[in-house]
Amino acid sequence: MIRCIKCEQVDMIMKAGFVRGKQRYLCKECNFYFTLPTPTLPSAIHPKRRRHQTTIIDIARTLGVSNSTVSRALHGHPDISPETRQLVLDTATQLDYQPNQLAYSLVKSLTNTIGIIVPEFFTPFFPNVIVGVQEVLSQAGYHLIIMQSSESYDTEVGNTKAMLANRVDGVIASLSLQTNNYEHFKALEKRGIPIVFFNRVCQELNGPKVVVNDFGGAFKAVEHLIQNGYRRIAHLGGPPNLVISQERLRGYTSALQKHGFDIHPELIIHSDLTAQKARIYGQYLLDMETPPDAIFAVNDPTAIEILILAKSRGLRVPEDLGVVGFSDDPIAAHIGNGLTTVRQPTHLMGKITAEMILKLINEEEEQWVPEAKVLETELIIRGSSVRESYDAVFNEANR
Amino acid sequence: MIRCIKCEQVDMIMKAGFVRGKQRYLCKECNFYFTLPTPTLPSAIHPKRRRHQTTIIDIARTLGVSNSTVSRALHGHPDISPETRQLVLDTATQLDYQPNQLAYSLVKSLTNTIGIIVPEFFTPFFPNVIVGVQEVLSQAGYHLIIMQSSESYDTEVGNTKAMLANRVDGVIASLSLQTNNYEHFKALEKRGIPIVFFNRVCQELNGPKVVVNDFGGAFKAVEHLIQNGYRRIAHLGGPPNLVISQERLRGYTSALQKHGFDIHPELIIHSDLTAQKARIYGQYLLDMETPPDAIFAVNDPTAIEILILAKSRGLRVPEDLGVVGFSDDPIAAHIGNGLTTVRQPTHLMGKITAEMILKLINEEEEQWVPEAKVLETELIIRGSSVRESYDAVFNEANR
DNA sequence: TTGTAAGCGTTATCAC
DNA sequence: GTGATAACGCTTACAA
């Protein structure tokens, strides 16, 4: 005999289909739809659910307590008797309970998840940064969901949408090569989701950024080439829209200017960071009427391609051609007599980026957060750029 | 005037605090607590929620329709008039609506997320596999949540717990060095979460696996050394608990046996895949009374360490010492005269693993899924192992 | 210390 | 074609 839970009527009840496996009723008296409250019997079993995961309700039922009690016990809430608490904990392990993070996140509007968008995974740079990020985040109890833009603007937009849909608590990003429009990141900002950019940043967005001193690194690299007697130094640069390209180019020109060299625009090439393009532009440079005697490349993969190209042409490195890269990829130490390069603190970069995003998430009011953190680079001098004699001469002259 | 929603009484109603900003009442007649159902007024505003994300209900309210209508419109359900549909879609973009994947996942018990657990990120192997995985998964509309065990058993257990809590639809995993107990993976299985192991698999779990033919690769490598006249070939192996170590060792011994060589247990070393240990064991091997004239290393980082060690000792490679690695890391092509190594199809491995997990997720009944997929390897012959004269002699003798 | 019930944002079922 | 309502699994304010 079914009684309407609203008007207590008994006679005017009609069956009205099933909802999620439970009989549904309609009270014709008060025109009210309802299902019967789930019976609180300890042995109540969901009959037709496959692979049912244990919930706090299951624990509550087997113990004959309310789900709030269970919730409190599970979270070590102070207002609960030690006995109940232990009882709950025991049955939880007994029933192999695993909390449902989804339900938690839904109710708390917190996912404890940070999203990171990186352009690629092929050079060791981004994986290394991620290692640093993850170290800090997992310590703080956050998960990391990693997405690749694959250097595509459209994919990057999709990534940010997915971040939004999954309600990540914060986003870490490094821009794709194609990205020139930043609306998708502004959409995140607008919703109050903190973002920290690293490495491939953009000046248009005024959030916090973590970068290395690209200018300084490039400056040191080119000055080092000058000190080794190279006089016609080319720059195989990156795409002009990236700040790292701009800064490294600026370092290059500044170093030349400081030492009284002219800037030759024909020796400045804008490429795309890949070895394929480096090969083409490298050929072009070395085929010039007056080819350069040194090349400062925007990153290690392109520098290595130049090294390979030089070898195939019978050019001696460093005698005929000096080469300096940027990144200190592991391979740089081992290729030929070693590639001189600018080392970036990738791991540290990851850690600092992660710390920044955590700070942004946890700040109550608008605390002060540094606009941009600039990490220092280190010039690692190896065989591809050291011409002993010149170095001596130069240092002599400067003393 | 408040009426009890249960007994319809009007006089015995008392105010009884607030719940989530709504007045709560107690009916003294039937002793029933209740709040008034949320008014369906179009202009009802959540008064005190900061950073409120637009929901389906907001759209419904502004349009004066029900949320089911909105839901249907957003999902392109057939039973909806084109006008309403367009109206909903328009206001959705207007209000900048972003679906809440959490709520969706909660109700559907589907997250559209796959978790992957990898031991490390330092060698290019795992990043490369991940690239392949992600290619397939993102095509299928799945996200990837990446976790690192950092070669630690405890972290790996934590990772699986987190996967469970986040209710991922499937798990891809490669075991940590420390892992000897597989209960945490069995716990996933028990809950019906599909798992696919790759590369570092374990025989105890009988789920699907994707591996390369480690045996065959090792066999080819060692046979190649024999053909180049090396007669005392050592094996710098991996940890004995990993199947890859076992298989590569098996390939090593089989190749020796096939060519009538004795197995010298003192030439078989179990290390841990790292360059640090490789240095120590490498020293040990080269310091032997009768040192080996060739070393087959379990992976490239260790092989490269041997190369460096040999150089520092003035040993000529390949004349005095032959070296073969396993993986074909990018660096292998460039170090010294090149490192001979066994190439693994990392990208393909990722793609196949991803396809397998998708198949497992989508299969209705227990469809047949291959137990294990074995991918072929390729021996990449470079300078570290080719002694022309010996090769000729050997081939002569075998003709 | 424990219980009650709302609500987080969705989907699904049935009635109309 | 549209609306009403429950349910997904959890936290929490308030009352007892």
Side-chain angles (χ1 to χ4, degrees), chain B residues 178-193:
Chain B
Q178 290 180 3
T179 306
N180 283 310
N181 176 322
Y182 310 102
E183 284 308 314
H184 50 306
F185 287 115
K186 287 186 180 153
L188 290 173
E189 273 188 340
K190 215 170 53 191
R191 286 192 174 66
I193 299 177

Side-chain angles (χ1 to χ4, degrees), chain A residues 6 53 96 134 148 191, chain B residues 6 96 134 148 165 191:
Chain A
K6 199 168 178 182
Q53 307 258 95
D96 198 13
Q134 212 161 38
Q148 283 181 82
R191 287 192 173 67
Chain B
K6 200 167 178 182
D96 199 12
Q134 211 161 39
Q148 282 181 83
R191 286 192 174 66

Side-chain angles (χ1 to χ4, degrees), chain A residues 125 128-129 210-213 327 342-352 374-378:
Chain A
F125 178 79
N128 280 334
V129 173
V210 182
V211 292
V212 300
N213 186 346
S327 275
V342 180
R343 177 179 294 167
Q344 312 188 74
T346 47
H347 191 249
L348 179 67
M349 191 169 209
K351 290 178 82 161
I352 289 184
V374 180
L375 306 180
E376 266 320 313
T377 57
E378 184 187 357

Side-chain angles (χ1 to χ4, degrees), chain A residues 25-262:
Chain A
Y25 301 94
L26 166 58
C27 169
K28 275 292 178 188
E29 177 75 19
C30 62
N31 211 39
F32 188 74
Y33 289 96
F34 61 94
T35 55
L36 257 17
T38 332
T40 323
L41 302 171
S43 58
I45 317 150
H46 291 250
K48 242 188 177 177
R49 185 155 313 121
R50 294 178 315 144
R51 296 188 338 205
H52 169 75
Q53 307 258 95
T54 314
T55 72
I56 54 169
I57 301 179
D58 296 320
I59 301 176
R61 271 208 271 265
T62 53
L63 246 48
V65 299
S66 77
N67 38 5
S68 23
T69 305
V70 176
S71 173
R72 279 188 280 252
L74 256 25
H75 286 73
H77 196 90
D79 287 350
I80 195 156
S81 77
E83 304 91 60
T84 326
R85 198 187 127 76
Q86 199 49 53
L87 219 56
V88 169
L89 258 40
D90 288 347
T91 42
T93 50
Q94 201 182 310
L95 295 181
D96 198 13
Y97 169 77
Q98 285 295 336
N100 187 329
Q101 170 74 26
L102 294 167
Y104 175 90
S105 297
L106 184 59
V107 87
K108 300 274 278 187
S109 291
L110 282 178
T111 51
N112 286 319
T113 301
I114 304 292
I116 185 168
I117 304 176
V118 294
E120 46 99 357
F121 251 42
F122 289 108
T123 57
F125 178 79
F126 290 107
N128 280 334
V129 173
I130 288 175
V131 169
V133 168
Q134 212 161 38
E135 232 169 72
V136 172
L137 289 189
S138 64
Q139 199 104 46
Y142 280 82
H143 296 302
L144 187 61
I145 168 158
I146 304 175
M147 299 194 185
Q148 283 181 82
S149 64
S150 307
E151 304 285 17
S152 144
Y153 167 74
D154 292 333
T155 311
E156 193 178 271
V157 172
N159 291 156
T160 56
K161 282 246 167 67
M163 299 276 172
L164 227 39
N166 285 289
R167 298 298 194 266
V168 294
D169 295 341
V171 170
I172 296 173
S174 199
L175 301 176
S176 91
L177 284 184
Q178 291 181 2
T179 306
N180 283 310
N181 176 322
Y182 310 102
E183 284 309 313
H184 50 306
F185 288 114
K186 287 185 181 154
L188 290 173
E189 272 188 340
K190 215 169 52 192
R191 287 192 173 67
I193 299 177
I195 320 177
V196 176
F197 290 92
F198 72 99
N199 183 251
R200 305 243 204 112
V201 304
C202 91
Q203 261 134 359
E204 203 173 304
L205 287 161
N206 41 19
K209 319 182 208 310
V210 182
V211 292
V212 300
N213 186 346
D214 289 293
F215 170 82
F219 189 96
K220 278 188 281 190
V222 174
E223 187 162 58
H224 162 79
L225 284 170
I226 294 169
Q227 285 167 4
N228 277 272
Y230 297 102
R231 291 293 168 262
R232 196 170 157 75
I233 302 171
H235 177 43
L236 183 55
N241 58 320
L242 292 185
V243 176
I244 55 168
S245 310
Q246 296 160 13
E247 286 295 290
R248 291 176 196 178
L249 172 58
R250 207 163 60 79
Y252 161 83
T253 51
S254 283
L256 291 183
Q257 281 165 342
K258 175 187 167 192
H259 292 275
F261 286 77
D262 292 335

Side-chain angles (χ1 to χ4, degrees), chain B residues 77-96:
Chain B
H77 196 89
D79 284 353
I80 194 155
S81 77
E83 306 90 60
T84 325
R85 197 188 127 77
Q86 199 50 52
L87 219 57
V88 169
L89 258 39
D90 288 348
T91 43
T93 50
Q94 200 183 313
L95 297 181
D96 199 12

Side-chain angles (χ1 to χ4, degrees), chain B residues 306-377:
Chain B
I306 297 293
L307 247 33
I308 293 169
L309 188 62
K311 194 175 182 185
S312 76
R313 289 178 166 230
L315 280 172
R316 292 170 307 156
V317 172
E319 292 82 356
D320 305 329
L321 185 73
V323 180
V324 176
F326 207 111
S327 276
D328 195 27
D329 287 2
I331 192 170
H334 300 300
I335 187 157
N337 301 314
L339 170 67
T340 298
T341 183
V342 180
R343 177 178 294 167
Q344 313 187 74
T346 47
H347 191 249
L348 179 67
M349 191 170 209
K351 289 179 81 161
I352 288 184
T353 310
E355 280 161 10
M356 264 191 175
I357 198 83
L358 289 179
K359 208 190 264 176
L360 281 171
I361 289 171
N362 295 320
E363 73 188 7
E364 277 304 307
E365 287 305 302
E366 291 141 42
Q367 257 176 266
W368 181 80
V369 166
E371 260 304 281
K373 180 97 183 176
V374 179
L375 307 179
E376 265 320 312
T377 59

